[in-house]
Amino acid sequence: MKTFVFLSIVALCSAKSLLQNEFLHFLAEQDIMLQDPPQNTSHIIQPQQRSTPASTPDDPFFICPLKCVCQVRVVQCSDADLQSVPAKIPKDTVMLDLQNNKITEIKESDLKNVPLLYALFLINNQITKIHPKAFRSTKHLKLLYLSWNLLPQIPTNLPASLLELRIDDNKIKKIQKEAFKGMKFLHVLEMSGNPLDTTGIEPDAFDGVLRLIYIRISQAKLTSVPKNLPSNLYELYLDHNKISSIELEDFRRYKDLYRLDLSFNQIKDIENGSLAYLPNLRQIHLENNKVKKVPASIKKLKYLQAVYLHNNNISKIEVDDFCPKESRIKKLYYSGISLFGNPVKHWEIEPASFRCVSGAHGVQLGNFRK
């Protein structure tokens, strides 16, 4: 019996060390994943270094909130039927998981005693209100997930340290002036599933946001491409909206775009030259629209590699629709062009139309059959 107890203690000690190593590895991965391209990483805030050991369940002064599980600076309170943020959260908590509860409000004092908080998950609650001073003490918060709640607007006074904000599937109809004020490190913004119209994005909403490279506003009520988003975007997702046309000036501001998703809209017309403002574009999604012909600017995008045009109304493919007459203009060959689900007669397409496509399976004109 004594031998059994001794071996159990040794096993628990080993498990605790492993968990700590895994979580520290998780933090390191988050830092790497959310950095800007490698040319300049000096702006990234690094997790605060501590000279004192973390509180653990073995500490006689350690208190874990009721209905929660605490392990190595991680407090997990998900699926606990909580109606408010629990009190007495350990002060050295780095990650706080409160998803899948019934929390309706984040009060001023709820996060007061967790100054080292790095990640806060509040997904799938019933939050309608967040106090303007709720994040006053969280100076190092980088990941804030507020998806699947009932928030009517972007919370005010969000931490300036945020790298990633996910606030999709709420009740947001408007992005107010200076909604992201001071958030110069924000990289990722997820806002899908909100009843947001194009006119609901105020011109000064993104003032001061310098590092935002990824925005998703899918499944909203956009009727046109927003023209006042940050100019340094790398990825823009506007799929599943009500956009009916692409105008000449729509993308003039977004010259750094690498990936663009306009699928599942109602796009009929794409004005000539409207895509020419995207010289660095690698991938474009225009599938499941009402496009009648290959956009004229496609062949001018020298780095474009993937074009999704399936399930549209394209009835004819011209020999120069995808490939420019001067081969030197195209710097990268296409790796994929999808055209299935269009009324085009594939036997009428000249083989030279795809002369700048790499690989025998680079073009999809119909579903593959076994």
Side-chain angles (χ1 to χ4, degrees), residues 106-108 111 120 130-141 144 146 153-162 165 167 176-183 205:
I106 305 299
K107 302 181 179 66
E108 179 180 358
L111 305 172
L120 176 59
I130 296 180
H131 195 279
K133 296 182 180 179
F135 297 103
R136 184 170 52 181
S137 300
T138 56
K139 303 293 184 181
H140 304 285
L141 189 65
L144 178 58
L146 293 164
Q153 66 176 21
I154 304 293
T156 57
N157 300 322
L158 289 171
S161 57
L162 277 184
L165 174 63
I167 195 166
Q176 65 271 25
K177 182 179 179 180
E178 298 183 336
F180 307 99
K181 184 178 180 180
M183 299 174 65

Side-chain angles (χ1 to χ4, degrees), residues 2 70 80 157 159 167 209 216 221-222 224 295 311 329 366 369:
K2 291 182 179 180
C70 302
N157 300 322
I167 195 166
V209 180
R216 184 185 291 272
K221 295 184 177 181
L222 300 179
S224 61
N311 295 331
I329 295 177
R369 295 182 180 178

Side-chain angles (χ1 to χ4, degrees), residues 44-112:
I44 300 294
I45 303 175
Q46 299 298 334
Q48 182 174 342
Q49 301 296 322
R50 289 178 53 85
S51 58
T52 57
S55 298
T56 67
D58 295 332
D59 189 331
F61 299 104
F62 178 85
I63 299 177
C64 188
L66 188 64
K67 297 184 179 181
C68 300
V69 177
C70 302
Q71 292 178 332
V72 194
R73 300 180 190 168
V74 177
V75 178
Q76 294 177 308
C77 309
S78 59
D79 301 278
D81 203 33
L82 298 175
Q83 297 185 10
S84 61
V85 176
K88 298 182 179 180
I89 300 171
K91 289 187 177 182
D92 58 1
T93 298
V94 175
M95 186 177 81
L96 178 58
D97 182 3
L98 292 166
Q99 59 185 325
N100 301 326
N101 282 291
K102 298 179 181 178
I103 299 171
T104 59
E105 180 182 358
I106 305 299
K107 302 181 179 66
E108 179 180 358
S109 60
D110 282 347
L111 305 172
K112 180 180 178 180

Side-chain angles (χ1 to χ4, degrees), residues 16-34:
K16 183 172 64 177
S17 176
L18 178 61
L19 286 169
Q20 185 171 8
N21 290 336
E22 287 179 349
F23 181 64
L24 292 176
H25 180 66
F26 159 77
L27 293 185
E29 280 186 344
Q30 289 292 344
D31 277 353
I32 293 171
M33 288 165 55
L34 295 173

Side-chain angles (χ1 to χ4, degrees), residues 293-334:
K293 61 181 181 178
V294 177
S297 302
I298 287 287
K299 60 187 175 184
K300 298 179 181 179
L301 301 177
K302 56 185 178 181
Y303 295 110
L304 188 61
Q305 292 179 280
V307 183
Y308 297 87
L309 281 166
H310 54 273
N311 295 331
N312 275 284
N313 296 327
I314 299 172
S315 59
K316 189 175 183 180
I317 302 294
E318 301 289 350
V319 70
D320 295 323
D321 275 351
F322 292 100
C323 307
K325 293 180 179 179
E326 298 181 31
S327 59
R328 62 181 179 83
I329 295 177
K330 187 69 177 170
K331 300 296 183 182
L332 295 175
Y333 275 20
Y334 293 104

Side-chain angles (χ1 to χ4, degrees), residues 280-297:
N280 298 309
L281 198 65
R282 260 60 167 192
Q283 185 180 108
I284 184 168
H285 288 262
L286 285 164
E287 68 268 24
N288 292 283
N289 278 285
K290 300 178 181 179
V291 178
K292 296 180 181 179
K293 61 181 181 178
V294 177
S297 302

